Amino acid sequence: MATLILLVFLAVLSGVLERAYRTSLDEAKVRELQLHIYTLLAVAEPDGNTLQLPFNLPEQRFNQPDSGLIGAVMDARGRVIWRSQSALSLPNFSALPLPLPLRQGQEVFAEIQLPDLSTPYSSFRQGIAWGLDNELQFTFVVLEDAGPLHAQVRQFSSTLWRWLAIGALALIAVQLLVLRWGLAPLRSVAHALKRMQQGGTDTLQGHFPRELVPLTDNLNLLIENERRQREKTRHTLGDLAHSLKTPLAVLKGMDIAADPQGAQAALAEQVQRMDGIISYQLKRAVATSPKSILRGVAVQPQAEKILTALDKVYRKKSVNAELICDDSVLFYGDEGDLMEMLGNLLDNGYKYGGGKLLAEICNTADQRGLEIVVSDNGPGLSQAQWQQVIQRGVRADQQQQGQGIGLAVVVDIVESYHGRIDILPPGEARDPHLARDPHLDGLAVRIII
């Protein structure tokens, strides 16, 4: 496309230059022919109602037949009353296709074709008034062979096209070299991908220009995320198989005939345990890997959506929930991970928060991280209790429904993003824009991811 545009530009440029050159030649020819008319005016003498010009004129070309320069004078009725000796070779000069006489001061430059001649002539006509009262009207005409002018234009066009062609070839060659040099980093990325596909490396390696560093970094991040996710799925399936061995062994060892009631209780307990193990491992398997290259997810709409749903679920508790989150806050990760973290934290706040809940969310100083603080007015937890409840299958309140894996999933997600999760003692200072409500003395969970 660049080559095509270049060629079109050069073609248009050549046309413009050729037109400008022809215009400048025409203007020079007009001035030259007008000087010849002034020469004829200088030697013209009135003779009644006509003009007389000497036999020999100062411009010798007027005196030489076939010199290519012809002079003539026409009266007001368009009759040729004088012509130069150079026109003697044109017997039909009086029948030239000259337009009607011109008014005083009127000037016309044109190119005409003379009878029985192959080459055109440049003509310049000028209207002249003669006499004290300008009563005599004449038209002075000068004709000159236009062949040399056309030859000059053809020579200019030939030279112009030759040099423009050389310039076009040089520009195309330079363009190809520049494109080859400019696209060399992309070829290096392609070679790095090929080496990686052939098993030479695990990531894209090489020295890339700064314009391609974000691309190669994101590709490496995507490759690393895919590898970790694959390993995580494999490990999760192994953990699932390992975790199910114990309850399966218990089920196999039950003596239903000897103790039917005990066997039924044990069966219900082990089935619930296996259900919890399967749910936990499946959630771990779909949790995304760290710092994805996904676009930023707006946090405020997702948090409001979760709060609206929890208000309906726990409408009998009349929980006073408040959200502090600017609409510009973004989470650079998977939307499902964000919903899982906020859903579990806010659900626990509704369950154990004593009827009051505050969720504060903002971006970190570098605008790429996310800080979440969920505070409530419940009984709170000690550090020892916190370390217990983040283990799978453990619940702080055994009277509440659930499987005890929500916080464990949150911890897994946070760790997959190389973040951290902890609890804040009542009154502990945090970022100034996340000023904790002094009336909330319960649990405050902070996530920085």
Side-chain angles (χ1 to χ4, degrees):
M1 182 59 66
T3 302
L4 179 61
I5 292 174
L6 174 63
L7 295 177
V8 172
F9 171 76
L10 291 178
V12 173
L13 178 63
S14 67
V16 171
L17 291 177
E18 186 174 339
R19 180 65 179 272
Y21 182 72
R22 178 59 189 266
T23 301
S24 66
L25 289 181
D26 288 343
E27 292 175 353
K29 183 58 66 176
V30 167
R31 292 192 295 270
E32 180 185 349
L33 297 180
Q34 192 172 37
L35 287 176
H36 290 313
I37 287 181
Y38 291 158
T39 300
L40 297 177
L41 284 172
V43 297
E45 295 291 342
D47 183 12
N49 292 333
T50 185
L51 290 176
Q52 292 292 335
L53 283 87
F55 184 78
N56 291 320
L57 298 174
E59 174 58 54
Q60 294 300 318
R61 295 174 62 194
F62 284 127
N63 305 323
Q64 300 172 0
D66 296 329
S67 64
L69 180 64
I70 301 173
V73 179
M74 302 169 59
D75 61 12
R77 290 184 294 178
R79 295 177 303 176
V80 177
I81 60 174
W82 176 87
R83 60 180 178 177
S84 65
Q85 298 183 57
S86 58
L88 294 178
S89 61
L90 300 175
N92 297 324
F93 184 81
S94 300
L96 289 179
L98 297 176
L100 294 177
L102 303 179
R103 297 186 304 273
Q104 179 185 1
Q106 188 176 1
E107 299 174 352
V108 175
F109 174 78
E111 191 172 277
I112 63 174
Q113 186 71 41
L114 297 181
D116 303 327
L117 293 179
S118 59
T119 59
Y121 271 66
S122 299
S123 72
F124 183 78
R125 299 180 298 130
Q126 184 172 356
I128 301 296
W130 209 282
L132 296 177
D133 297 327
N134 296 329
E135 67 275 10
L136 300 178
Q137 300 289 330
F138 301 99
T139 300
F140 280 68
V141 181
V142 175
L143 305 176
E144 188 175 18
D145 186 3
L149 182 67
H150 289 183
Q152 194 173 356
V153 172
R154 286 194 299 270
Q155 182 180 3
F156 175 81
S157 298
S158 175
T159 304
L160 176 65
W161 276 104
R162 182 169 61 253
W163 284 106
L164 283 180
I166 295 174
L169 292 177
L171 287 175
I172 291 174
V174 171
Q175 177 180 279
L176 292 176
L177 292 176
V178 170
L179 287 176
R180 181 175 178 83
W181 170 76
L183 297 178
L186 293 180
R187 287 195 297 272
S188 65
V189 172
H191 294 158
L193 278 171
K194 187 174 182 180
R195 289 195 301 270
M196 186 186 66
Q197 291 173 348
Q198 293 175 348
T201 59
D202 293 332
T203 58
L204 293 177
Q205 296 180 359
H207 298 286
F208 305 110
R210 63 177 181 272
E211 292 84 1
L212 290 182
V213 168
L215 171 65
T216 55
D217 287 349
N218 283 336
L219 285 175
N220 284 331
L221 181 59
L222 182 63
I223 294 168
E224 179 66 16
N225 285 350
E226 192 274 337
R227 184 183 61 82
R228 291 190 180 186
Q229 188 67 34
R230 187 172 61 252
E231 292 179 356
K232 187 174 186 180
T233 302
R234 185 171 62 252
H235 293 164
T236 302
L237 291 176
D239 293 344
L240 176 62
H242 180 76
S243 301
L244 291 176
K245 287 181 179 180
T246 301
L248 287 174
V250 172
L251 293 177
K252 290 179 180 179
M254 288 192 309
D255 189 356
I256 300 177
D259 187 4
Q261 293 183 350
Q264 183 178 2
L267 176 62
E269 180 183 355
Q270 296 305 318
V271 169
Q272 183 178 6
R273 182 181 178 185
M274 285 192 296
D275 182 58
I277 291 172
I278 293 172
S279 299
Y280 170 73
Q281 295 294 352
L282 288 178
K283 288 186 176 182
R284 281 190 61 194
V286 299
T288 349
S289 294
K291 295 296 179 186
S292 70
I293 60 174
L294 302 177
R295 61 178 178 84
V297 178
V299 177
Q300 186 187 47
Q302 307 301 329
E304 290 178 347
K305 186 186 302 184
I306 294 174
L307 289 174
T308 301
L310 292 175
D311 283 337
K312 296 178 181 179
V313 174
Y314 297 98
R315 57 183 177 272
K316 294 182 179 180
K317 286 192 173 185
S318 300
V319 178
N320 181 16
E322 181 182 358
L323 173 65
I324 300 178
C325 179
D326 191 74
D327 56 5
S328 62
V329 177
L330 298 176
F331 171 61
Y332 294 94
D334 185 76
E335 182 178 342
D337 291 343
L338 176 65
M339 297 289 287
E340 189 72 33
M341 290 188 296
L342 291 177
N344 282 299
L345 291 178
L346 296 176
D347 182 67
N348 287 338
Y350 271 78
K351 287 180 180 178
Y352 313 114
K356 193 169 185 181
L357 177 68
L358 173 63
E360 303 168 275
I361 309 173
C362 70
N363 283 121
T364 55
D366 61 359
Q367 298 300 314
R368 295 292 298 181
L370 188 70
E371 181 173 356
I372 304 172
V373 177
V374 178
S375 310
D376 59 41
N377 208 29
L381 293 173
S382 64
Q383 284 291 342
Q385 292 173 322
W386 169 254
Q387 295 300 324
Q388 290 181 351
V389 297
I390 62 177
Q391 303 297 322
R392 59 180 179 179
V394 178
R395 287 180 286 144
D397 187 355
Q398 299 296 330
Q399 296 180 353
Q400 296 284 349
Q401 294 182 353
Q403 299 167 346
I405 63 174
L407 283 178
V409 171
V410 173
V411 172
D412 281 345
I413 294 175
V414 172
E415 288 179 350
S416 71
Y417 283 85
H418 302 302
R420 70 176 189 269
I421 178 172
D422 52 12
I423 59 173
L424 298 174
E428 180 177 323
R430 299 197 303 276
D431 292 341
H433 53 286
L434 292 180
R436 183 174 177 183
D437 190 340
H439 300 292
L440 297 178
D441 298 328
L443 180 65
V445 179
R446 176 177 62 185
I447 293 176
I448 299 178
I449 191 170

